[in-house]
Amino acid sequence: MQRNKFTTMRSLKVLDRCKGAQVYALHTTGGGGGDVGDKLYHQLQDHLSVNPARPISMHNYQSSNVPLAYVNETLLPYGLPVSDLLEPQIESCLKFVDFIGTLADLYRRIENCPQFEKTGMYLEQCAIFKGLSDPKLFRRTLRAARQHTVDVHSKVVLAAWLRYERREDELRGTNSMNCCGRNIECPKATLVPGYNPEFIYDPCVCSKNPQGESVDDYSIEDVECSTSDEYRDMSFCIGDNEIRCIRYCIASLSTPFRTMLYGGFRESRKEKINFTQNGISIECMKAAELYSRIRRVDSFDPRIILELLTFSNRFCCDDLKLACDSYLASLVNDVENALLLIEYGLEENAYLLVAACLQVFLRELPNSMHSPNVMKYFCSPEAKERLALVGHASFLLYFFLSQIAMEEDMKANTTVMLLERLADCATESWQKQLAYHQLGVAMYERKEYKDAQSWFEEAYESGHIYSKVGIARTKCKRGHKYSAYKMINSLISEYKPVGWMHQERSLYCDGKEKMSDLEMATQLDPTLCFPYKYRAVLLLETNKIGAAISEIGKIISFKVSPDCLELRAWISIAMEDYERALRDVRALLTLEPNYMMFHGKMHGDHLVELLRPFVQQWSQADCWMQLYDRWSSVDDLGSLAVVHHMLANDPGKSLLWFRQSLLLLRLNCQKAAMRSLRLARNHSTSDHERLVYEGWILYDTGHCEEALAKAEESISIRRSFEAFFLKAYALADTSLDQESSAYVIQLLLDALRCPSDGLRKGQALNNLGSVYVDCEKLDLAADCYMNALNIKHTRAHQGLARVFHLKNQRKAAYDEMTKLIEKARNNASAYEKRSEYSDRDMAKSDLAMATQLDPLRTYPYRYRAAVLMDDHKENEAIAELTRALAFKPDLQLLHLRAAFHDSMGDYASTVRDCEAALCLEPNHADTLELYNKVRELVKEQ
């Protein structure tokens, strides 16, 4: 949505109370609400103070004789959204017309490239995965890139990026240079060059505690005494001072010294050589003489080592330079030291020292992004050239920096400069596509349309087809709408259409053609938000508010995003449903705490305060009751809003932050979930509690063994429900043989013996029932599920249905799932599971409903495709899977389509789908087996 200072409502038919031009001065206050809005709000509060009755519905509010305009102007100070001003964002990631083909090609190239080039290939994979909704794919590929890295520079950048992905900067009490205990991120291990992919996950040097080893402390005085003067056969004179030296030791420092002292120069025949005019201090020359004998610099003062660094450059003393470089690098441990030493490193071409300084800056991100003293070493062309001279300017470095800058502020000058440096470093085709396209997006956001069009054209010429969207958009902004239409129309004609093409063409046409394109966009890709938003606003403008709420609710039911929640809240305010509006705003703020509502003109927190007088006020006890009620009805968004309310009253409650993270994970909002988990850890009041939350953070970022260790450490301090539950959960995720299953059962029983609330105990009972089912202990499983249902853990109906099914009680299983469908607010999964206990026709009906409610669920597509294959409708089966793969590249879908192609003898398509699947999961055993089998068949043919 574009900002428009003088937006009037598009339709005058939308509720009488909203009539009139909503024109206000936009001088915002600290709350973001505007002077007029604040004034009206306070007038409203003053009036309400004489009648403190709650709740206040719109009906009894009108009866209080307060002018209704006060409510409208307070809650809707900027009017309602306007359909003509809506437009989808241009995505800043790489997008492809044939994404499956792109994945397959990438997998082949990764498998066939030399070992030392794999880092670059994995970096390309990172760029591709960045556009997917699953951050785990990106993090796994980032780890693979780090694993295959050879040079120090790349190790430093990738280790810092991995740390940033966990956002440890938000954990209280942590230092940016702390080591996680593994080589993959260890700040010391990154400064060691060399290729060793096999030991990347081993414990690093920092975590080891060698016994019986000691480091000798050397001083100049000690070693001076250790060498007799009779061996010193020459001197360097600096002023009146004479530094006695051993000629062959000095000569061994470098070729220039060897030539001077043993070559044809006159110095080779002198016992005393005058070094007064060389700008070398007496202390530096003494240190150089000592180094020539002991080959160590760690006993010297850092100031002397800096002089030695200059000395080594002047006289080409490579070993001395490396020793100084390494030692100075080991001293860099904070931003202050890094800012002091990086200038020396750049001036003296000290590769490791600059690497160490860069490492501190990068591990301090995103905070260091806001420091001009730090960013001056990255942003300008001159800064990039200085880094290049010392071997530290790379596409990788600027890829990392620019991604963070775009997350912080897409329009900022720093972002544009970093993207320009990214473009300077781009050499390969995909690198140019990414850099040029992202520059186009940044310029478009800054409304610099001419420059944006130029960059989009560069990206398109480099091979990025999606950048045509940017070209068309900028042409339209510059008054060439028909030209934009023709451009996207030709794109649809030239390539196999995908959802975003029709979405884009809809911007340049009107009426039925526009709506047709939006419908086609939704059919091809139901995950695109814009078509739902546009249709909802159009319905709002024609006074069909209930239909508008329903339309935007369709996508919120399976893909929660702040902009869609904002729109539903906006419409809810228009229809006087303040409770739903407040619920959506609270849920939105859980996803993005600093979200600005109404085209960026009002902070979400301010709108919460404006809405609160119009809804029932809850105590903390009321909130717990509401949470139980919503939890039992599987209303995750409603639960999220209640937890947000509770945190507003008690922001220091770690348990609530943890509960929030669990709800966000259920809603597939992983970034927000991790932030809530970090806040839970920060607000924990005991060590055992902190360790549990740290364990969950590690588990959710793919470090299962470390998570288990945290759980065990927490249990050693205090036996608690959450510690046992974490340990059981992490252990069950590794491998469950009979012995480990028994151990997981015991852990869950231990958890249930510890104090906890019913919500968590319901989850533990549900998990325990699942393990019992896997162990074929069906009666025990049924008991667990029944106990869970008794404390309103509604999802236990699903487990109980599974037990009935295994007992051949199919009707009872079906009835259990029907109960879940009736109780659950979000019931797509319930329809999906009920289909397993139905006949074919009823199963098809349930799965159709599941797809309608949540098109991202892959089982319905696989089932329908399998049925079609059974009916010998091979092409229709392939088409069913292809339809889903167009917007959800999924491992199981790809594997099944590969198997179908194999059964049809289409080996080329089989290989392509296997390669695409293996790009997503390289170790998937079934796909590897099929892939190898088909390749052998192809070779034989």
Side-chain angles (χ1 to χ4, degrees):
M1 299 181 186
Q2 288 190 343
R3 298 176 62 173
N4 189 331
K5 290 187 177 182
F6 305 106
T7 300
T8 59
M9 288 176 40
R10 183 70 177 169
S11 172
L12 299 182
K13 294 187 286 184
V14 182
L15 304 185
D16 293 340
R17 68 184 182 284
C18 293
K19 287 182 179 178
Q22 300 281 336
V23 182
Y24 301 104
L26 303 185
H27 302 294
T28 58
T29 63
D35 296 339
V36 175
D38 287 344
K39 181 180 178 182
L40 292 168
Y41 172 61
H42 291 307
Q43 289 175 333
L44 180 62
Q45 292 287 65
D46 290 342
H47 179 86
L48 292 175
S49 64
V50 301
N51 182 11
R54 297 293 186 269
I56 298 176
S57 67
M58 201 62 227
H59 176 75
N60 60 33
Y61 180 77
Q62 288 177 327
S63 68
S64 66
N65 297 322
V66 178
L68 191 56
Y70 281 7
V71 182
N72 302 330
E73 293 170 346
T74 300
L75 299 181
L76 291 171
Y78 307 106
L80 290 171
V82 180
S83 59
D84 284 353
L85 297 181
L86 292 175
E87 68 173 45
Q89 278 194 329
I90 302 174
E91 295 187 45
S92 60
C93 57
L94 292 176
K95 286 181 73 72
F96 304 93
V97 175
D98 179 15
F99 189 65
I100 303 303
T102 301
L103 292 179
D105 173 67
L106 182 60
Y107 178 78
R108 283 194 301 274
R109 289 188 287 124
I110 290 174
E111 288 299 296
N112 295 326
C113 78
Q115 287 284 76
F116 292 166
E117 296 177 13
K118 284 191 182 291
T119 294
M121 298 301 304
Y122 283 122
L123 187 62
E124 181 179 352
Q125 192 176 37
C126 283
I128 292 171
F129 285 169
K130 192 71 176 173
L132 299 181
S133 59
D134 186 358
K136 291 181 180 178
L137 285 173
F138 176 79
R139 286 197 294 263
R140 190 196 68 209
T141 307
L142 204 59
R143 285 196 293 269
R146 169 67 183 91
Q147 180 180 3
H148 291 277
T149 302
V150 180
D151 61 289
V152 167
H153 170 78
S154 298
K155 289 180 180 181
V156 162
V157 178
L158 288 166
W161 202 338
L162 283 167
R163 184 181 187 277
Y164 175 79
E165 283 298 306
R166 291 206 310 277
R167 293 306 304 264
E168 286 196 1
D169 62 288
E170 294 182 7
L171 297 181
R172 291 176 186 166
T174 60
N175 184 284
S176 64
M177 298 302 286
N178 283 354
C179 178
C180 68
R182 298 277 183 178
N183 282 324
I184 194 167
E185 288 182 42
C186 174
K188 292 182 180 178
T190 58
L191 298 177
V192 179
Y195 183 66
N196 191 2
E198 300 302 322
F199 301 103
I200 195 68
Y201 295 107
D202 284 358
C204 68
V205 177
C206 297
S207 62
K208 298 175 183 175
N209 185 23
Q211 299 297 320
E213 295 183 13
S214 63
V215 178
D216 296 330
D217 291 327
Y218 281 77
S219 68
I220 293 178
E221 290 79 9
D222 293 337
V223 184
E224 279 285 353
C225 298
S226 69
T227 304
S228 173
D229 267 354
E230 64 184 79
Y231 294 105
R232 305 187 186 197
D233 52 355
M234 62 157 295
S235 301
F236 285 103
C237 299
I238 299 176
D240 297 331
N241 296 279
E242 184 177 327
I243 299 95
R244 298 290 295 169
C245 303
I246 300 173
R247 184 179 291 267
Y248 75 83
C249 289
I250 296 295
S252 68
L253 290 176
S254 69
T255 299
F257 272 122
R258 186 165 58 253
T259 304
M260 176 195 298
L261 298 176
Y262 288 107
F265 293 95
R266 60 184 179 181
E267 283 85 358
S268 64
R269 297 184 294 274
K270 286 185 176 182
E271 184 180 340
K272 294 183 179 182
I273 300 173
N274 190 345
F275 254 40
T276 302
Q277 302 303 318
N278 284 329
I280 299 169
S281 70
I282 299 166
E283 292 83 359
C284 178
M285 197 65 230
K286 286 182 177 180
E289 186 279 327
L290 181 57
Y291 173 81
S292 73
R293 289 183 283 124
I294 67 172
R295 300 290 165 163
R296 292 176 61 170
V297 299
D298 52 351
S299 62
F300 304 142
D301 185 271
R303 181 182 59 82
I304 298 298
I305 299 177
L306 287 169
E307 276 198 75
L308 281 174
L309 186 61
T310 305
F311 177 92
S312 65
N313 271 330
R314 181 177 299 180
F315 296 102
C316 305
C317 305
D318 294 339
D319 290 343
L320 175 58
K321 179 177 180 178
L322 180 59
C324 293
D325 195 6
S326 300
Y327 186 73
L328 289 170
S330 71
L331 300 180
V332 183
N333 53 20
D334 57 34
V335 173
E336 185 179 356
N337 284 344
L339 287 171
L340 179 67
L341 291 171
I342 192 170
E343 278 296 334
Y344 289 100
L346 291 169
E347 289 296 324
E348 300 298 338
N349 195 26
Y351 178 76
L352 289 176
L353 177 55
V354 173
C357 295
L358 287 181
Q359 176 162 250
V360 170
F361 298 154
L362 297 179
R363 291 173 76 95
E364 286 284 346
L365 287 167
N367 295 331
S368 55
M369 186 70 69
H370 306 294
S371 168
N373 291 331
V374 171
M375 296 316 294
K376 73 178 182 181
Y377 291 105
F378 298 107
C379 290
S380 68
E382 295 75 22
K384 179 249 176 187
E385 288 304 316
R386 291 187 77 194
L387 288 173
L389 288 173
V390 73
H392 285 292
S394 67
F395 184 87
L396 169 61
L397 172 66
Y398 284 103
F399 186 16
F400 179 30
L401 289 170
S402 61
Q403 295 310 297
I404 297 174
M406 287 191 294
E407 289 177 16
E408 293 286 302
D409 185 358
M410 178 67 82
K411 301 176 187 177
N413 291 335
T414 297
T415 303
V416 173
M417 287 189 286
L418 289 172
L419 286 170
E420 287 173 343
R421 304 293 78 75
L422 182 71
D424 293 341
C425 294
T427 55
E428 299 180 34
S429 174
W430 74 268
Q431 295 175 347
K432 293 176 182 179
Q433 291 175 32
L434 181 67
Y436 299 157
H437 180 75
Q438 290 184 337
L439 268 166
V441 173
M443 292 300 182
Y444 185 84
E445 291 294 319
R446 289 160 64 98
K447 300 188 172 157
E448 298 176 22
Y449 298 126
K450 184 177 180 181
D451 287 341
Q453 182 176 331
S454 176
W455 285 116
F456 284 132
E457 287 171 348
E458 291 275 1
Y460 177 72
E461 289 170 10
S462 298
H464 194 231
I465 305 301
Y466 177 71
S467 291
K468 260 202 170 182
V469 166
I471 301 171
R473 203 80 69 89
T474 51
K475 279 180 176 289
C476 184
K477 293 294 184 184
R478 299 175 71 193
H480 305 291
K481 184 176 181 178
Y482 182 62
S483 176
Y485 175 86
K486 287 198 301 181
M487 181 173 290
I488 302 301
N489 197 50
S490 68
L491 199 62
I492 293 173
S493 302
E494 188 175 352
Y495 297 97
K496 182 179 179 181
V498 289
W500 56 262
M501 293 181 186
H502 286 277
Q503 173 180 273
E504 194 64 24
R505 191 172 68 176
S506 73
L507 301 179
Y508 313 120
C509 52
D510 300 297
K512 291 183 178 179
E513 188 179 357
K514 187 185 194 77
M515 299 310 295
S516 176
D517 263 334
L518 290 173
E519 287 299 328
M520 181 58 71
T522 299
Q523 287 180 29
L524 293 172
D525 185 354
T527 67
L528 294 172
C529 295
F530 174 74
Y532 300 94
K533 291 169 64 177
Y534 183 87
R535 288 189 291 262
V537 173
L538 202 63
L539 288 164
L540 176 66
E541 290 175 342
T542 55
N543 210 16
K544 298 174 182 176
I545 299 184
I549 288 282
S550 176
E551 180 64 28
I552 196 62
K554 289 177 184 176
I555 190 165
I556 292 175
S557 66
F558 67 90
K559 183 182 178 182
V560 180
S561 63
D563 56 331
C564 290
L565 286 171
E566 176 195 18
L567 181 57
R568 190 165 71 176
W570 209 334
I571 300 172
S572 296
I573 293 172
M575 68 183 299
E576 305 173 12
D577 189 345
Y578 301 123
E579 285 200 10
R580 177 155 52 183
L582 184 57
R583 178 200 64 189
D584 283 343
V585 176
R586 287 192 182 281
L588 183 161
L589 291 171
T590 306
L591 299 174
E592 288 193 25
N594 297 315
Y595 193 85
M596 301 294 291
M597 309 282 294
F598 307 141
H599 310 311
K601 296 170 186 173
M602 179 187 290
H603 198 287
D605 283 331
H606 187 58
L607 184 57
V608 168
E609 292 306 311
L610 295 178
L611 286 167
R612 284 182 62 197
F614 302 99
V615 300
Q616 183 174 357
Q617 305 301 301
W618 294 334
S619 67
Q620 204 74 341
D622 294 330
C623 286
W624 275 109
M625 294 298 293
Q626 292 289 335
L627 182 58
Y628 269 87
D629 182 56
R630 282 158 176 73
W631 192 279
S632 64
S633 63
V634 197
D635 178 9
D636 293 330
L637 270 179
S639 300
L640 205 58
V642 174
V643 172
H644 183 272
H645 187 178
M646 296 169 80
L647 282 168
N649 297 331
D650 190 2
K653 194 78 170 178
S654 61
L655 174 64
L656 293 175
W657 289 111
F658 180 55
R659 181 84 61 208
Q660 189 179 81
S661 73
L662 297 176
L663 288 163
L664 288 164
L665 281 175
R666 282 186 183 175
L667 293 166
N668 201 32
C669 302
Q670 296 187 38
K671 184 178 178 181
M674 290 302 296
R675 182 180 63 243
S676 295
L677 201 47
R678 290 190 291 270
L679 286 165
R681 182 265 187 197
N682 288 345
H683 287 98
S684 52
T685 56
S686 62
D687 287 341
H688 75 87
E689 187 182 29
R690 173 182 55 79
L691 287 164
V692 168
Y693 298 142
E694 288 177 357
W696 280 115
I697 291 171
L698 288 164
Y699 175 81
D700 288 337
T701 52
H703 299 82
C704 193
E705 291 182 10
E706 291 89 339
L708 281 169
K710 292 284 185 181
E712 289 167 359
E713 187 179 352
S714 178
I715 292 169
S716 70
I717 298 172
R718 179 177 173 181
R719 295 166 64 88
S720 69
F721 174 91
E722 291 299 348
F724 281 119
F725 189 86
L726 168 61
K727 188 174 180 180
Y729 201 93
L731 191 60
D733 194 42
T734 52
S735 62
L736 274 185
D737 52 27
Q738 188 170 0
E739 183 179 351
S740 56
S741 294
Y743 187 35
V744 169
I745 289 170
Q746 185 57 53
L747 289 169
L748 288 171
L749 290 172
D750 287 339
L752 288 165
R753 293 188 189 102
C754 298
S756 185
D757 61 78
L759 300 176
R760 289 299 279 159
K761 290 209 169 186
Q763 182 67 59
L765 285 164
N766 198 61
N767 287 19
L768 182 57
S770 297
V771 182
Y772 277 138
V773 169
D774 292 338
C775 297
E776 299 181 355
K777 299 178 180 180
L778 300 184
D779 291 337
L780 289 173
D783 289 342
C784 287
Y785 292 129
M786 290 302 298
N787 287 332
L789 288 171
N790 289 338
I791 52 177
K792 294 189 175 182
H793 188 77
T794 307
R795 286 180 172 87
H797 281 296
Q798 185 171 313
L800 197 56
R802 186 182 172 199
V803 171
F804 286 137
H805 178 63
L806 291 171
K807 289 184 172 183
N808 294 318
Q809 299 175 17
R810 194 179 182 89
K811 177 66 167 61
Y814 183 89
D815 291 343
E816 283 299 320
M817 294 312 301
T818 301
K819 292 176 186 176
L820 180 56
I821 289 171
E822 292 169 351
K823 291 181 181 179
R825 180 72 64 89
N826 301 318
N827 52 20
S829 64
Y831 278 106
E832 179 183 300
K833 292 297 181 183
R834 191 174 71 171
S835 70
E836 298 178 18
Y837 314 125
S838 312
D839 59 35
R840 177 180 282 197
D841 289 339
M842 294 185 69
K844 287 173 67 176
S845 175
D846 276 345
L847 291 174
M849 180 59 74
T851 298
Q852 181 181 333
L853 294 172
D854 184 355
L856 289 173
R857 304 190 74 85
T858 61
Y859 174 76
Y861 303 101
R862 288 186 281 131
Y863 177 88
R864 288 189 290 263
V867 169
L868 288 166
M869 282 297 286
D870 287 343
D871 293 339
H872 304 289
K873 298 177 180 179
E874 291 87 355
N875 292 331
E876 290 90 335
I878 295 291
E880 179 68 22
L881 296 175
T882 302
R883 181 163 70 97
L885 284 166
F887 59 86
K888 184 176 176 61
D890 175 78
L891 175 66
Q892 298 296 336
L893 291 173
L894 282 166
H895 175 74
L896 185 58
R897 193 172 74 169
F900 287 176
H901 282 307
D902 176 44
S903 69
M904 298 164 64
D906 186 352
Y907 298 137
S909 297
T910 304
V911 168
R912 178 204 59 201
D913 284 350
C914 283
E915 288 171 339
L918 292 170
C919 190
L920 296 172
E921 177 48 72
N923 299 316
H924 190 248
D926 291 341
T927 303
L928 280 170
E929 182 182 352
L930 177 60
Y931 183 50
N932 292 328
K933 183 197 82 171
V934 173
R935 286 205 302 174
E936 287 300 319
L937 286 173
V938 171
K939 286 180 183 178
E940 290 173 6
Q941 292 178 353

